[in-house]
């Protein structure tokens, strides 16, 4: 079974779907490479928007702990963290509308992936939380930096520092989720983007470039690199490795 799928819809939406339901769509290196492939495909003028979603009960459960728990030192972690941070940076800087369609639970790096999209819509009942703090680390794929660009600082910091998993309604109240939907993710995505897709691609690109210029002038890239560095340092702590071990021992 492929770890991801990439589908071009007739309405111009390119859909990237993480397809690892047996691991709640945890991100491994194949998923990272697939996301980068989808981002590059968006350079085609036929693509009007990019949607990111998952298969099964979860949107994305963050980094694949069964692989990444083998990364022990800061240096080892930094390689993986900076790879995905670089991909999420390219995702957020894509000069086309992007939407995370939360078909289910998003935790940890899954919330960082969702944050890198312009918009987030969630199926009623979906939950999401930046659980990294409970694992003895911070966000490490740029998601903390990006969230602080998306939400007012008090809201963003409470999501990050609380590390709680919140309901779709709570997330909508905070402003992390732009719309809660019932029914199928694809129909919800089409409905959310319907009016945007009617606009000329150059107009949409011009508006996104206003945002991109703001991020470039405020050194978002450098701030993400610093976030990666500080996560890598926390990564090698005994507290983090103990928490990851507890996740697997709880079975
Ligand atoms: C910088 C990013 C950072 C990093 O890279 O480390 C992070 O993303 S930190 C956060 C890492 N992610 C987690 O700690 C989440 C762990 N998973 C969960 O909390 C739950 O699985 C949840 C809430 C996502 C879903 O709970 P549910 O009860 O529906 O499912 P199970 O827990 O029974 O899991 C089913 C099955 O999937 C495996 N699984 C789930 N998440 C991961 C993961 N992130 N990596 C690897 N495997 C994962 C879990 O082990 C179960 O496998 P099974 O063989 O059936 O026991």
């Amino acid at each position: 079974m492929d770890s991801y799928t990439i589908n071009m819809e007739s309405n111009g939406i390119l859909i990237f779907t993480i397809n690892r339901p047996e691991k709640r769509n945890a991100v491994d290196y194949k998923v990272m490479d697939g996301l980068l492939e989808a981002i590059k495909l968006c350079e085609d003028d036929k693509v009007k928007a990019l949607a990111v979603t998952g298969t099964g009960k979860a949107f994305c459960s963050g980094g694949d702990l069964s692989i990444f728990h083998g990364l022990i030192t800061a240096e080892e972690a930094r390689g993986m963290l900076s790879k995905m941070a670089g991909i999420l940076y390219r995702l957020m800087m894509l000069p086309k509308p992007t939407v995370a369609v939360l078909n289910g639970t998003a935790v940890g790096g899954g919330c960082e992936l969702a944050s890198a999209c312009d918009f987030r819509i969630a199926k009623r009942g979906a939950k999401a939380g930046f659980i990294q703090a409970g694992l003895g680390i911070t966000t490490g794929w740029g998601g903390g930096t990006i969230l602080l660009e998306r939400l007012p600082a008090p809201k963003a910091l409470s999501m990050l520092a609380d590390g709680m998993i919140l309901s779709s309604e709570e997330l909508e109240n905070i402003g992390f989720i732009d719309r809660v939907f019932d029914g199928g993710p694809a129909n919800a995505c089409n409905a959310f983007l319907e009016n945007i897709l009617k606009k000329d691609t150059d107009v949409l690109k011009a508006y996104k470039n206003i945002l991109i210029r703001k991020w470039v002038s405020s050194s978002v890239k450098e701030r993400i690199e610093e976030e990666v560095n500080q996560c890598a340092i926390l990564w090698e702590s005994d507290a983090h490795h103990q928490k990851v071990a507890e996740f697997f021992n709880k079975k």
Side-chain angles (χ1 to χ4, degrees):
M1 183 164 73
D2 292 334
S3 300
Y4 63 89
T5 59
I6 299 176
N7 292 301
M8 179 66 171
E9 300 294 301
S10 57
N11 58 5
I13 300 175
L14 190 78
I15 303 181
F16 175 79
T17 305
I18 306 175
N19 187 37
R20 306 185 74 212
E22 74 289 350
K23 291 204 168 185
R24 299 297 183 266
N25 296 326
V27 173
D28 61 2
Y29 291 115
K30 273 188 186 171
V31 171
M32 291 183 189
D33 292 340
L35 179 56
L36 183 56
E37 180 189 349
I39 292 166
K40 289 177 178 176
L41 288 172
C42 289
E43 291 167 9
D44 185 325
D45 288 341
K46 289 195 293 292
V47 178
K48 293 208 74 175
L50 172 65
V52 178
T53 191
T55 304
K57 290 173 66 173
F59 169 73
C60 177
S61 59
D64 187 329
L65 296 171
S66 66
I67 300 172
F68 300 149
H69 87 299
L71 304 172
I72 305 302
T73 66
E75 270 320 298
E76 289 169 335
R78 186 176 285 109
M80 176 276 287
L81 296 172
S82 55
K83 177 181 173 75
M84 186 60 169
I87 294 167
L88 292 193
Y89 179 74
R90 288 187 64 160
L91 174 56
M92 75 182 286
M93 301 299 266
L94 192 68
K96 293 184 177 178
T98 56
V99 58
V101 183
L102 274 60
N103 54 294
T105 303
V107 294
C111 287
E112 299 189 61
L113 170 59
S115 299
C117 294
D118 298 322
F119 307 105
R120 281 150 297 284
I121 64 175
K123 186 170 181 62
R124 193 175 310 282
K127 299 182 187 315
F130 288 86
I131 61 172
Q132 289 89 331
L135 294 170
I137 55 174
T138 64
T139 51
W141 289 345
T145 301
I146 298 168
L147 187 68
L148 282 154
E149 293 297 320
R150 302 279 187 207
L151 296 181
K155 301 281 188 191
L157 281 177
S158 68
M159 285 192 79
L160 295 167
D162 283 352
M164 302 298 286
I165 296 179
L166 304 172
S167 69
S168 48
E169 288 73 17
E170 290 170 316
L171 293 160
E172 188 177 33
N173 289 338
I174 288 173
F176 183 72
I177 293 295
D178 298 291
R179 180 181 294 177
V180 175
F181 66 85
D182 297 298
N187 289 340
C189 180
N190 293 339
F192 183 80
L193 290 174
E194 185 180 8
N195 286 332
I196 289 176
L197 292 178
K198 289 174 184 169
K199 304 305 185 291
D200 185 275
T201 302
D202 288 340
V203 170
L204 299 176
K205 189 176 286 188
Y207 272 132
K208 186 65 178 282
N209 281 329
I210 293 173
L211 190 50
I212 288 169
R213 283 195 292 273
K214 170 177 174 264
W215 286 335
V216 169
S217 61
S218 63
S219 305
V220 161
K221 188 173 195 298
E222 291 73 13
R223 285 188 275 138
I224 287 175
E225 288 165 357
E226 276 313 303
E227 176 185 320
V228 167
N229 290 333
Q230 77 181 17
C231 180
I233 291 165
L234 291 169
W235 186 284
E236 69 180 2
S237 68
D238 293 340
H240 173 234
H241 293 307
Q242 177 60 34
K243 289 289 184 185
V244 173
E246 284 168 12
F247 171 75
F248 286 112
N249 295 337
K250 78 180 180 189
K251 301 290 176 194

